[in-house]
Amino acid sequence: MARITELLSLSESAPREAREMVLPSASLEGWRWSGLRRALPATPFAATDGSTGTVTAPKLSNVFSSMTETVLVDGHLAGDNNGGDVDGRRHINSDSDGDGNGRRHIKGDNNGGAVRRHINTVMDNNGGDVDGHRHVKGDSDGDGGGSRHINILRDDKSETFETVARNGEETPFPALARTLATHPLQITVKGEIKTPHSIRLVGTSANTAAHHSLNTELEKNASLHCVITSEAANNAARLVNSDCRFHLREGARLRLLILENEAAQCFRTSRIHFTLAANARAETFLITRGGAFQRLEIETDLADNGAEFHIGGAHALSPERQGEIALRVRHLAGDTLSRNRFRAAVGANATHNFQGRIEIIPGADNAAAEMESKSLLMDESAKSRSKPELEIFHDNVACSHGVAVSPADADVLFYLRSRGIPLADAERLTVSAFLRQIFPAEHNDEFTESAKSRVESFAGMVTETETVKGQSS
Amino acid sequence: MTNSPANTGTVAGTVAVTGKQAAANAPKYQWGFSTDVPTEHAPKGLDENIVRYISAKTNEPEWLLKWRLRAFSRWQKMREPEWSNVNFPPINYQDAYYYAAPKRDKPKSLDEVDPKLLETYEKLGIPLHERAALAGVAVDAVFDSVSVATTFKETLRKAGVIFCPMSEAVREHPELVRKYLGSVVPPGDNKHACLNSAVFTEGSFVYVPPDTRCPMELSTYFRINAAMTGQFERTLIIADRNSYVSYLEGCTAPMRDEHQLHAAVVELVALENAEIRYATVQNWYPGDENGRGGIYNFVTKRGVCKEPNARISWTQVETGSAITWKYPSCILMGEGSSGEFHSIAMTNHRQQADTGTKMLHLAPKTRSRIISKGISSGRSRQSYRGLVRLSPKAKGARNYTQCDSLIIGGEASASTVPYIESACREASVEHEATTSRLPEDQLFYCRQRGLDAETAAALVVNGFCREVLQKLPMEFAVEADRLLRVSLEGAVG
Amino acid sequence: MTAPLLRLDDLRASVSDGHGERKQVLHGVNLTVAAGEMHVLMGPNGSGKSSLAALLAGREGCEADGGAAQMDGEDILALAPEERAARGLFLAFQYPVEIAGLSLTVFLREIYNRRREREGEAALDPMSFMRVLREEMAALSMDPALTRRAVNAGFSGGEKKRLEVLQMALLRPRLALMDETDSGLDVDALRIVSDAINRHRDGGRGFLLITHYSRLLAGLDPAPDYIHIFDGGRIVRSGGADLARRLEEHGYGALSEVA
């Protein structure tokens, strides 16, 4: 009887579903069609005044033997409100003293006597400077003769939101970030910097909006390891919007790790734009848990011969969360290479969207591109939508893409359980193994290992129900 | 017939030159001749009166006229689909004829058919006399807006299979037509389908009764002949319980410098455990190497597996049309039903093709398979666009998609735009795609064995398409292979 | 009197054929394996041997339709696969599964430490575990470089089978079901595997070996206690070690008919 009822309901709903379906599926087109508009709350988030709370979120720096750090709390450069130094100089030390409590220390003087090397981000305090410019210079730690200059540009907003938003090429969010960022960062890198630099975007206050803008220039043959962490200190609903640009000049090398550990109620929009000159190479790992809504736009221009772009993205979408990737890689010259590999494990009522596009312009001889997106649906209510596009205007190319959506492999789960591993743990291991496929097999350096460890910790959350606490006020 | 002043850039807007002149310009399209028969036209343009005129031509019942008029009024408010990867100037719908027919009473038998028409089909390789006809293939020949002949009707009647022009079906089998017409492609589905609903003329109607295996291949051959005329046929195939039918569709048109609109609708209905195999070899005039002339092929093809274990398979070989906009799709409603789409699309010169499929899994254990092979050469632009959607009810469903593109020459382009949406954990979807040029090692291997570059390329392309060519009935496979060779000519340096 | 390690009573089962139909594969299996005993189940392809192993280990899709399967007097059919494993049941898979992305070392340490914790021992830290692992791998002549790979990923047939035996060594099961562990092995690998099985015959552990050929048996010392011929979803004949030799001479057909 139940069977008949089911069949009846099927025959009733099927024609309707069929009618509703048109090509293309609107939900996967531009930002206008993404889930964002539906997900955004009616009341806008307000910017904070910069009076930040306490940062308690765990940080990554203890993973690396040494690391320099720039911290922004609720959109404000941490240290802004830590006045009291008389000489006008301030030192922010990275937390490399191993106290493990994950708290940031802002010290008034250089911790020069420590056994372990401390890298200082030295800031000229211009206090209430008139020109609105602030400069943070990271001095070289002598490990490779490289130097890094970090400038905090307060009022350098030559482009307005209106002009950029009208340019239909991009969504309004990056333009908003550049316009509204309280402390836009400018990083210039010369030579080889071996110590990773960490940029932490920490949120502490509910119902606030934080906009971030980062512009990074790697000069010829320069090299940088960079970690950008976006994390919530508590489970507060907020909007985090960032625009990051990486400009790699000839032969430059960038390794970038992006970690998103936002609260379940977070709205996160992010654009990362890479421009790669001849023989430049960027390698990026992106590890994220999604949010109430999360859209990550990645745009890459392989502008000259020999440029190489590698990205591995892992979505560990906990129940009720959403994660969306909009990837666009343009091969604008010959002998360019891009490898784009994404994995998503999707929990109960979570949604994963992937839109990727590889473009190869006429004359981009010998360009090679791979794009792969696989999703693992871990619950009956999980959803995945993918749209991997190839747009090829040249014949001598090798391009491929692949998409797969499936449940966790029953054979794998059984194999693990037959070895005594309980179902929940077997699922966690399966998810973790799946997400780790974003890492090339040969990678086991410190940088990659730190990324892998974050995958492990996120993997367990996909099948766990989050306890969403009420918004803190 | 009269020509309106030239209105460059609109469909059917430029002055039509005779087929012979155009043929001299581009000798490679050998189906580009036109047939000189007295032709009866509806007045040019499109309004309610034209819809009434078309309806009156076949003495349609009132319900169908109303259906057409509703579609027409809806069409006037609809916008053209704008998401596809094709470019063309706005269509002037008022500058074309919506009905054209050879001037003569409907022939009762082949003997009454104008010998010129028979000769035309003979030249196209489709002899209509049964004694000369392809063994085992029944043909419905459609010339502009009317069906001129249907072969082997008697054989089919004995098996209980209905195979006739749509106008006849409306008269003889109104209950079937009324039940299923528009049930798979509703008039409001898209602007082109809506236009078809208002002005369709002819097309084939097939009904295969329960527990019947259709004794022969059914085939419709569409020929656009008249200048400045659109073709709007409508095909409806119903396979009842436990039945099987294989249907082949072929199309050609004379070479004319104007663009002509072809907006057809094909609806397939497969009931429990029935199977429909639908194959198309589309060879509409593609226009010349500068993009002058050619058919705008805006076609809506969709099948529904309405009941458990029904099977629908689409196979298409596309070499023609200036613009192709076509997504033969399957709605998998019945548990355990399956849909297949096998496609070869070959574009050259200035052709544009945006084609693919939709597979909608709405029931448990449904299966779908998509194999798409695209070859673009010259300055052509080709896109595969496909949707695979698994609804939450599609437990145990599976889809496999393989989508390969070959680009020949530095000025062609290929895009792949798949949409994959799964809302069902217990289902699996797999999509793979590649884009590359002709593999040099294979070409070299062939040439080392003494083949010229063009033959080598044809062989390699044939190998690339093999998986799809194998799905075609023998007669069509040979034809398709020949078409691919012709389309490749001049593409390989 | 204590209950035997494994006791099967008129065990009947069916598997899903993947099209919604069920096919009966076990037609009443009776078998008792006491601690310390080694039983060998021999039978032609498709006789249901592997289904029995799958059923006992708890693979989804293979379901008991009647009868009972008990370990130490406890019904195991209602238990989850990991609960059966926790009670000391181990299945060496005929077709071990590849798990891309899951480090072999992490996986082995995980199952090893869980076993230790169940037995009241402290979990080993990664360094100590690596020492244990290297030792066990050396005993199986396994390439230490395999630890850097993912579970079974890119393993040859022989490497996969040896990895199954390695897991048996780490898990120290009370009852080992070995499903065609000898198939796909060359002579040297076969020797290594049978030596490993011999080492684990410590008097308390029960074995149920499933095989198509008798070639594994030659290397077993001491010889198996019982040979059972399995056909048509049940045991058609049982005997001592000499039954395998007669099977070699006469083939399955002759011996099945006698029953």
Side-chain angles (χ1 to χ4, degrees), chain A residues 389-401:
Chain A
E389 295 180 51
L390 297 176
E391 197 162 307
I392 318 287
F393 287 87
H394 189 70
D395 63 336
N396 187 19
V397 298
C399 296
S400 66
H401 70 214

Side-chain angles (χ1 to χ4, degrees), chain B residues 320-493:
Chain B
S321 291
I323 301 177
T324 302
W325 178 98
K326 181 173 147 181
Y327 315 90
S329 305
C330 297
I331 304 169
L332 305 171
M333 276 173 68
E335 181 165 341
S337 59
S338 83
E340 290 183 27
F341 174 75
H342 305 272
S343 170
I344 299 170
M346 169 122 198
T347 51
N348 200 348
H349 305 311
R350 293 285 187 145
Q351 279 177 274
Q352 306 176 58
D354 195 298
T355 184
T357 184
K358 296 183 274 191
M359 292 291 174
L360 291 182
H361 293 256
L362 305 175
K365 292 180 184 156
T366 43
R367 302 261 187 281
S368 68
R369 185 178 170 83
I370 299 169
I371 307 288
S372 165
K373 306 281 178 180
I375 303 119
S376 37
S377 61
R379 284 178 289 174
S380 67
R381 175 149 184 66
Q382 194 178 120
S383 306
Y384 166 83
R385 186 182 304 275
L387 170 68
V388 174
R389 177 182 289 171
L390 295 118
S391 87
K393 290 171 197 136
K395 290 200 170 49
R398 276 181 178 281
N399 158 267
Y400 175 76
T401 303
Q402 171 80 47
C403 195
D404 298 314
S405 306
L406 270 187
I407 303 185
I408 301 174
E411 289 178 290
S413 77
S415 302
T416 313
V417 193
Y419 299 74
I420 299 129
E421 307 181 8
S422 178
C424 183
R425 180 184 58 171
E426 308 301 330
S428 81
V429 192
E430 211 179 318
H431 173 100
E432 288 171 26
T434 62
T435 305
S436 60
R437 63 170 166 181
L438 282 170
E440 259 169 20
D441 51 344
Q442 295 181 16
L443 289 177
F444 174 72
Y445 188 85
C446 294
R447 295 176 72 175
Q448 201 282 323
R449 300 298 136 98
L451 299 173
D452 63 84
E454 207 154 88
T455 311
L459 282 183
V460 172
V461 166
N462 183 287
F464 175 76
C465 300
R466 183 153 195 82
E467 232 180 314
V468 177
L469 288 173
Q470 281 173 339
K471 294 280 163 188
L472 288 169
M474 183 65 108
E475 297 84 357
F476 264 37
V478 174
E479 169 80 357
D481 185 43
R482 197 164 57 94
L483 278 178
L484 290 178
R485 276 175 194 249
V486 169
S487 310
L488 258 181
E489 272 171 33
V492 183

Side-chain angles (χ1 to χ4, degrees), chain A residues 60 64 67 196-199 225-229 256-257 259 447:
Chain A
L60 258 192
F64 295 97
M67 190 154 165
H197 185 76
S198 156
I199 297 166
H225 290 196
C226 184
V227 183
I228 302 178
T229 316
L256 178 64
L257 172 56
L259 295 170
F447 198 80

Side-chain angles (χ1 to χ4, degrees), chain A residues 142-219:
Chain A
D143 61 4
S147 70
R148 173 184 48 244
H149 300 280
I150 301 181
N151 297 313
I152 313 295
L153 310 164
R154 177 157 270 173
D155 288 320
D156 184 19
K157 288 158 189 166
S158 49
E159 51 185 353
T160 64
F161 169 62
E162 288 73 21
T163 56
V164 179
R166 235 181 271 129
N167 172 2
E169 278 291 292
E170 69 174 27
T171 73
F173 293 99
L176 272 178
R178 290 196 294 276
T179 313
L180 300 178
T182 318
H183 291 107
L185 297 173
Q186 166 85 36
I187 300 180
T188 310
V189 179
K190 282 186 183 138
E192 186 183 2
I193 309 268
K194 283 186 181 153
T195 311
H197 185 76
S198 156
I199 297 166
R200 298 175 62 202
L201 315 176
V202 186
T204 62
S205 316
N207 301 316
T208 57
H211 297 273
H212 301 280
S213 171
L214 166 69
N215 190 24
T216 304
E217 302 267 348
L218 276 75
E219 308 222 324

Side-chain angles (χ1 to χ4, degrees), chain A residues 409-412 414-425 428-430 432-434 436-437 444 456, chain C residues 57-59 80-82 85 90-91 93 96-102 107 110-111 114 118 152 164 167 171:
Chain A
D409 188 333
D411 288 341
V412 168
F414 174 62
Y415 190 76
L416 295 171
R417 295 174 75 189
S418 80
R419 298 296 181 250
I421 300 172
L423 179 59
D425 290 332
R428 177 180 53 78
L429 281 176
T430 309
S432 154
F434 178 75
R436 285 172 65 126
Q437 292 170 13
N444 41 24
E456 302 293 339
Chain C
R59 184 190 281 273
E82 61 269 27
F90 176 85
L91 169 65
F93 281 55
V97 180
E98 286 189 27
I99 311 175
L102 178 57
F107 167 69
E110 178 102 19
I111 64 174
R114 276 176 193 277
R118 278 200 301 272
N152 279 317
E164 294 295 290
Q167 291 177 51
L171 287 174

Side-chain angles (χ1 to χ4, degrees), chain A residues 89-354:
Chain A
R89 293 179 70 82
R90 200 182 301 143
H91 309 275
I92 301 175
N93 288 342
S94 66
D95 177 20
S96 53
D97 52 9
D99 62 4
N101 66 2
R103 294 177 72 91
R104 183 171 39 81
H105 297 270
I106 300 178
K107 296 178 181 173
D109 62 1
N110 193 347
N111 197 3
V115 179
R116 299 178 68 174
R117 192 175 53 221
H118 287 254
I119 311 310
N120 300 329
T121 305
V122 185
M123 190 196 294
D124 295 335
N125 185 2
N126 288 337
D129 52 356
V130 187
D131 67 358
H133 274 66
R134 207 174 280 259
H135 307 280
V136 177
K137 285 180 182 159
D139 54 4
S140 165
D141 51 12
D143 61 4
S147 70
R148 173 184 48 244
H149 300 280
I150 301 181
N151 297 313
I152 313 295
L153 310 164
R154 177 157 270 173
D155 288 320
D156 184 19
K157 288 158 189 166
S158 49
E159 51 185 353
T160 64
F161 169 62
E162 288 73 21
T163 56
V164 179
R166 235 181 271 129
N167 172 2
E169 278 291 292
E170 69 174 27
T171 73
F173 293 99
L176 272 178
R178 290 196 294 276
T179 313
L180 300 178
T182 318
H183 291 107
L185 297 173
Q186 166 85 36
I187 300 180
T188 310
V189 179
K190 282 186 183 138
E192 186 183 2
I193 309 268
K194 283 186 181 153
T195 311
H197 185 76
S198 156
I199 297 166
R200 298 175 62 202
L201 315 176
V202 186
T204 62
S205 316
N207 301 316
T208 57
H211 297 273
H212 301 280
S213 171
L214 166 69
N215 190 24
T216 304
E217 302 267 348
L218 276 75
E219 308 222 324
K220 187 173 174 182
N221 296 325
S223 158
L224 175 71
H225 290 196
C226 184
V227 183
I228 302 178
T229 316
S230 173
E231 60 202 329
N234 51 40
N235 194 4
R238 61 196 190 102
L239 172 73
V240 186
N241 177 31
S242 61
D243 177 46
C244 302
R245 280 148 288 153
F246 291 88
H247 193 157
L248 279 69
R249 300 204 191 280
E250 193 181 336
R253 294 276 183 278
L254 170 71
R255 298 192 75 187
L256 178 64
L257 172 56
I258 296 165
L259 295 170
E260 304 261 340
N261 188 13
E262 285 294 350
Q265 299 175 29
C266 183
F267 293 86
R268 176 82 175 104
T269 48
S270 165
R271 204 253 328 226
I272 308 157
H273 188 249
F274 300 89
T275 310
L276 279 72
N279 300 316
R281 186 179 199 274
E283 182 179 43
T284 299
F285 296 121
L286 166 65
I287 297 155
T288 170
R289 298 180 59 206
F293 178 87
Q294 179 203 48
R295 178 180 170 97
L296 300 171
E297 297 172 5
I298 300 150
E299 283 186 48
T300 303
D301 289 332
L302 300 169
D304 213 334
N305 290 56
E308 258 185 56
F309 179 67
H310 298 254
I311 186 166
H315 268 92
L317 294 178
S318 304
E320 313 290 336
R321 290 184 177 225
Q322 172 158 12
E324 182 166 306
I325 292 270
L327 169 83
R328 185 173 181 189
V329 180
R330 279 178 284 235
H331 289 251
L332 304 171
D335 295 311
T336 45
L337 169 75
S338 74
R339 301 226 182 288
N340 310 276
R341 191 183 291 189
F342 293 85
R343 293 289 183 275
V346 192
N349 289 312
T351 302
H352 171 247
N353 288 348
F354 174 83

Side-chain angles (χ1 to χ4, degrees), chain B residues 64-281:
Chain B
L64 189 50
L65 174 63
K66 279 196 177 141
W67 194 80
R68 285 176 182 275
L69 290 171
R70 265 200 311 277
F72 178 71
S73 95
R74 189 159 184 180
W75 174 78
Q76 290 175 301
K77 297 179 206 106
M78 285 180 89
R79 290 168 48 157
E80 270 174 47
E82 55 191 21
W83 37 259
S84 56
N85 245 336
V86 294
N87 285 305
F88 54 92
I91 296 173
N92 181 353
Y93 288 98
Q94 297 308 328
D95 199 23
Y97 296 101
Y98 289 81
Y99 183 88
K103 233 181 221 162
R104 187 173 272 214
D105 289 338
K106 169 86 183 164
K108 297 221 165 33
S109 74
L110 275 174
D111 302 333
E112 291 176 30
V113 176
D114 186 331
K116 272 189 186 160
L117 289 178
L118 292 178
E119 197 183 304
T120 300
Y121 282 90
E122 206 87 43
K123 264 166 94 175
L124 294 167
I126 319 284
L128 295 178
H129 287 294
E130 291 189 10
R131 59 181 179 278
L134 296 167
V137 183
V139 178
D140 181 20
V142 176
F143 193 85
D144 290 332
S145 304
V146 296
S147 168
V148 293
T150 308
T151 62
F152 292 107
K153 281 185 107 162
E154 190 53 26
T155 319
L156 292 171
R157 201 187 54 78
K158 279 185 193 144
V161 175
I162 304 169
F163 177 44
C164 64
M166 186 59 90
S167 58
E168 191 180 320
V170 169
R171 274 195 314 276
E172 311 284 331
H173 311 281
E175 69 298 340
L176 284 171
V177 175
R178 209 166 169 175
K179 182 169 177 190
Y180 290 109
L181 188 73
S183 72
V184 190
V185 181
D189 189 82
N190 65 72
K191 185 159 187 172
H192 305 310
C194 196
L195 175 62
N196 175 284
S197 303
V199 303
F200 74 86
T201 48
E202 292 309 16
S204 297
F205 175 85
V206 177
Y207 173 79
V208 189
D211 305 310
T212 305
R213 193 181 165 88
C214 185
M216 58 208 317
E217 307 269 358
L218 304 184
S219 171
T220 302
Y221 196 93
F222 295 101
R223 173 77 176 169
I224 297 178
N225 186 64
M228 308 185 66
T229 303
Q231 182 154 336
F232 309 92
E233 84 272 8
R234 185 141 192 142
T235 297
L236 175 58
I237 300 177
I238 302 141
D240 215 322
R241 281 180 297 106
N242 295 317
S243 69
Y244 167 89
V245 62
S246 166
Y247 181 92
L248 318 169
E249 175 200 276
C251 342
T252 56
M255 287 189 280
R256 298 189 187 279
D257 280 356
E258 75 216 19
H259 293 295
Q260 287 177 291
L261 180 62
H262 174 243
V265 170
V266 177
E267 298 177 281
L268 311 183
V269 181
L271 302 184
E272 188 173 349
N273 204 31
E275 178 169 2
I276 303 177
R277 310 192 73 86
Y278 192 106
T280 308
V281 174

